């Protein structure tokens, strides 16, 4: 067994190699010591078991099929001693079953034999980088606690049972590197959950980046995510790294995942599997990255997979831990808490700290709780922000002071997707001018046409836009103009 002594560069990364094949064990140790790591080796699982119980290692390379003690038991001992240990499962019997077993047991990576020194270098380098990032995040968190500051960078409010369950799940998965798939309606707070997971993870000191997969056409989305080489397309005047490279060591959120074109889904899957990024216009691998993925969608996932909108293999890669963020109407008990929080925030922002903050009266609270909130927390935030601008200091806010209650009933009901019978205000009024009557009827036609198109396309907005014969950007703009939500039918 090699003694555990620092190498020439005095590297803080401590590695244990457990491998019963002596030649391979010594070769790996030689490569890693040359890179400046502090390396120990063992060819006997029982000996490695005792080493792991009494020492802390940052990286463990373990043969998954040792003769006396299985690799998964050594993995459990290593993680019990140090939850931050990155375990790399090495095996000459590379199968899908063994890969799933290793990842399910908590392995950080899976390395089939035979492998090259370059592959070993890259994988251990990624593990070391992740370890150093985790140490830095822990140091910053402890520093904040010592000076009495709140170490929670992302504040999420809610007491409803469904919401607390979602937060509990997010808190449990945050310290791991597992991919997370967030589902829930638009405006329910999925991006806030993603930020919460990132800032409670070992990657908190590294970047958190987000990309909306529905906001960009396919060529721009590919360039934004993967980067491009100079001359790859018109306007590419220089090399440009993409978000995958920029998020190295951190977290990348893929919002509106199902709107991502399948060609890009295939390229993303390859990057997730190999950790290698190839920029647009490049014929070689441009970067090796270590990124945690958090995906989000307001669509029904099984339906999207069944319709071929989302690749099944990508779904399994990104959906390791699913978390559903409940809509605001399913957490009515949180409305008063959230409204008061927004009220204080926007009052300080627009009116300063010298003027007394208004308070919500019983009527206002009852009105807020009775509203269906099709836009969820984002809509509530917008309503309170609008109210703050018009309120007097120290005033008691009544139901009439809530902006959405000031909208005439027919317009409010149209906004919520409710239809009125002819003659009750939904169509042209007797006293309307020609242009007013025409605009009113055209608005009704647009809304009904869009709603029907979305329903016929099963909620797939891209398909709905194609059937309507208009481009997707224009379709989204019309939806926004008429207050339609993406999951509305």
């Amino acid at each position: 067994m090699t003694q555990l002594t620092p190498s020439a560069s005095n590297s803080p990364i401590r590695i244990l190699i457990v491998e019963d094949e002596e030649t391979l064990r010594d070769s790996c140790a030689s490569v890693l010591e040359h890179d400046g790591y502090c390396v120990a080796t063992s060819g006997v699982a029982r000996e490695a078991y005792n080493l792991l119980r009494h020492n802390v290692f940052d990286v463990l390379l373990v043969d998954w099929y040792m003769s006396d003690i299985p690799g998964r038991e050594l993995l459990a001992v290593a993680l019990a001693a140090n939850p931050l240990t990155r375990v790399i499962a090495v095996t000459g019997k590379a199968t899908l079953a063994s890969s799933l077993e290793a990842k399910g047991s908590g392995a950080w990576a899976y390395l089939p034999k035979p492998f090259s020194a370059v592959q070993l270098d890259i994988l251990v380098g990624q593990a070391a980088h992740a370890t150093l990032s985790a140490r830095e995040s822990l140091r910053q968190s402890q520093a904040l606690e010592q000076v009495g500051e709140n170490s929670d960078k992302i504040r999420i409010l809610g007491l409803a049972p469904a919401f607390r369950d979602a937060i509990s799940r997010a808190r449990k998965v945050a310290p791991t590197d597992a991919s997370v798939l967030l589902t829930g309606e638009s405006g329910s707070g999925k991006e806030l959950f993603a930020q919460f997971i990132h800032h409670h993870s070992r990657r908190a000191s590294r970047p958190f980046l987000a990309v909306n997969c529905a906001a960009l056409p396919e060529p721009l989305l590919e360039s934004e995510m993967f980067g491009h080489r100079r001359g790859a397309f018109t306007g590419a005047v220089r090399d440009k790294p993409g978000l995958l490279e920029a998020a190295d060591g951190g977290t990348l959120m893929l919002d509106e995942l199902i709107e991502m074109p399948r060609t890009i889904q295939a390229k993303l899957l390859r990057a997730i599997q190999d950790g290698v990024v190839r920029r647009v216009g490049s014929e070689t691998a441009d970067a090796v990255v270590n990124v945690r993925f958090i995906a989000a969608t307001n669509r029904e996932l099984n339906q999207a997979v069944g319709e071929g909108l989302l690749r099944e293999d990508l779904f399994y890669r990104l959906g390791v831990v699913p978390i559903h963020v409940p809509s605001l109407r399913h957490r009515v008990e949180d409305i008063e808490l959230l409204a008061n929080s927004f009220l204080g925030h926007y009052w300080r922002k627009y009116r300063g700290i010298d003027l007394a903050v208004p308070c919500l009266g019983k009527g206002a609270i009852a009105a807020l709780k009775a509203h269906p909130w099709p836009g969820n927390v984002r809509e509530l935030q917008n309503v309170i922000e609008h109210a703050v601008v018009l309120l007097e200091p120290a005033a008691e806010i009544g139901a009439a002071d809530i902006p959405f209650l000031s909208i005439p009933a027919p317009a409010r009901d149209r906004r919520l997707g409710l239809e009125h019978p002819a003659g009750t205000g939904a169509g042209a009024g007797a006293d309307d001018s020609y242009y007013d009557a025409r605009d009113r009827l055209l608005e009704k036609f647009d809304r009904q046409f869009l709603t029907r198109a979305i329903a016929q396309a099963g909620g797939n907005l891209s398909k709905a836009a194609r059937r309507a014969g208009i481009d997707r950007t224009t379709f989204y703009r019309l939806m926004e103009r008429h207050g339609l939500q993406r999951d509305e039918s």
Side-chain angles (χ1 to χ4, degrees):
M1 181 186 73
T2 303
Q3 295 299 313
L4 191 63
T5 55
S7 63
S9 64
N10 198 27
S11 169
I13 300 297
R14 295 157 61 93
I15 300 175
L16 174 62
I17 302 172
V18 184
E19 169 62 58
D20 53 13
E21 186 181 333
E22 183 178 3
T23 302
L24 178 60
R25 183 175 68 247
D26 292 344
S27 297
C28 290
S30 176
V31 169
L32 296 177
E33 284 175 345
H34 182 268
D35 290 339
Y37 298 111
C38 183
V39 182
T41 63
S42 176
V44 181
R46 181 61 60 183
E47 180 184 59
Y49 185 90
N50 293 327
L51 265 176
L52 290 167
R53 287 186 61 191
H54 300 98
N55 296 275
V56 174
F57 293 94
D58 300 301
V59 180
L60 169 64
L61 273 83
V62 58
D63 189 333
W64 200 244
Y65 295 106
M66 295 290 287
S67 56
D68 47 348
I69 299 178
R72 63 176 177 276
E73 291 189 22
L74 296 177
L75 176 147
V77 174
L79 293 181
N82 177 23
L84 298 182
T85 299
R86 266 61 178 187
V87 180
I88 300 174
V90 181
T91 178
K93 304 174 183 178
T95 63
L96 178 60
S98 63
S99 172
L100 292 174
E101 180 191 20
K103 289 295 184 71
S105 300
W108 182 80
Y110 183 77
L111 183 60
K113 300 177 185 177
F115 52 86
S116 66
V118 174
Q119 288 175 297
L120 180 67
D121 263 337
I122 290 173
L123 198 56
V124 173
Q126 290 176 335
H129 180 74
T131 296
L132 294 175
S133 297
R135 287 182 186 175
E136 177 63 17
S137 298
L138 182 62
R139 186 195 64 77
Q140 292 178 356
S141 177
Q142 292 172 340
L144 286 172
E145 291 175 358
Q146 289 174 359
V147 298
E149 294 184 14
N150 183 3
S151 61
D152 284 347
K153 300 178 183 179
I154 301 298
R155 189 181 181 206
I156 299 184
L157 298 176
L159 300 173
F163 187 77
R164 297 313 302 173
D165 287 346
I167 282 292
S168 174
R169 197 174 179 87
R171 199 179 288 276
K172 288 177 182 178
V173 74
T176 74
D177 282 329
S179 299
V180 179
L181 185 53
L182 299 168
T183 59
E185 297 178 6
S186 295
S188 57
K190 296 188 292 296
E191 184 165 352
L192 195 63
F193 264 74
Q195 293 174 352
F196 177 89
I197 291 169
H198 172 74
H199 286 295
H200 285 78
S201 74
R202 299 176 291 191
R203 300 171 178 264
S205 63
R206 305 298 296 170
F208 171 85
L209 302 176
V211 57
N212 188 321
C213 301
L216 298 170
E218 182 174 341
L220 289 182
L221 178 60
E222 184 181 14
S223 173
E224 184 73 10
M225 288 184 60
F226 299 95
H228 60 255
R229 284 293 185 188
R230 178 181 178 183
F233 51 83
T234 303
V237 296
R238 59 181 176 82
D239 290 353
K240 177 183 177 296
L243 292 176
L244 283 166
E245 292 179 61
D248 185 30
T251 303
L252 178 62
M253 180 184 180
L254 304 169
D255 200 8
E256 305 288 2
L257 172 67
I258 294 175
E259 302 301 326
M260 180 186 293
R262 283 183 63 89
T263 52
I264 300 183
Q265 290 183 31
K267 190 171 181 177
L268 174 63
L269 181 66
R270 176 58 58 189
I272 294 174
Q273 290 173 336
D274 299 341
V276 175
V277 174
R278 178 177 293 178
R279 297 179 184 176
V280 178
S282 175
E283 297 181 357
T284 60
D286 294 293
V288 176
V289 298
N290 175 20
V291 177
R292 182 189 196 168
F293 293 92
I294 300 179
T297 180
N298 59 9
R299 301 275 301 283
E300 207 286 313
L301 287 166
N302 290 329
Q303 181 182 349
V305 173
E307 293 179 357
L309 300 174
L310 178 64
R311 289 177 61 109
E312 187 173 7
D313 44 7
L314 182 61
F315 167 70
Y316 290 127
R317 280 284 184 178
L318 295 177
V320 175
V321 180
I323 298 177
H324 180 72
V325 183
S327 61
L328 189 56
R329 63 181 173 278
H330 291 142
R331 43 184 295 221
V332 176
E333 55 265 63
D334 291 338
I335 290 177
E336 182 177 356
L337 175 67
L338 291 167
N340 279 313
S341 176
F342 293 143
L343 179 61
H345 170 76
Y346 286 114
W347 186 264
R348 290 188 297 270
K349 177 180 178 180
Y350 292 120
R351 313 299 286 274
I353 60 175
D354 298 329
L355 300 176
V357 182
C359 64
L360 290 166
K362 292 183 178 179
I365 294 172
L368 290 171
K369 290 183 176 181
H371 188 66
W373 299 111
N376 291 291
V377 178
R378 187 184 296 133
E379 183 186 355
L380 174 62
Q381 182 177 357
N382 183 263
V383 163
I384 298 299
E385 182 179 9
H386 286 188
V388 162
V389 177
L390 303 175
L391 292 172
E392 296 296 329
E396 180 177 299
I397 304 172
D401 299 314
I402 306 299
F404 66 76
L405 294 179
S406 300
I407 301 174
R412 182 176 70 248
D413 290 348
R414 284 198 303 273
R415 177 185 172 202
L416 298 176
L418 303 176
E419 294 298 335
H420 290 261
T424 61
D431 298 327
D432 283 343
S433 70
Y434 165 77
Y435 293 104
D436 288 340
R438 185 187 66 174
D439 290 344
R440 193 187 301 272
L441 290 171
L442 286 174
E443 181 182 0
K444 180 180 179 182
F445 166 80
D446 280 354
R447 183 178 181 84
Q448 291 180 339
F449 182 90
L450 293 170
T451 302
R452 184 172 62 252
I454 295 170
Q456 290 174 344
N460 182 339
L461 301 188
S462 298
K463 185 186 294 183
R466 287 196 299 271
R467 288 186 172 184
I470 56 179
D471 65 86
R472 190 166 60 179
T473 302
T474 302
F475 194 87
Y476 291 164
R477 192 179 298 119
L478 286 169
M479 288 179 61
E480 182 179 1
R481 180 189 303 169
H482 295 288
L484 282 167
Q485 298 298 313
R486 294 190 135 207
D487 53 353
E488 192 164 352
S489 61

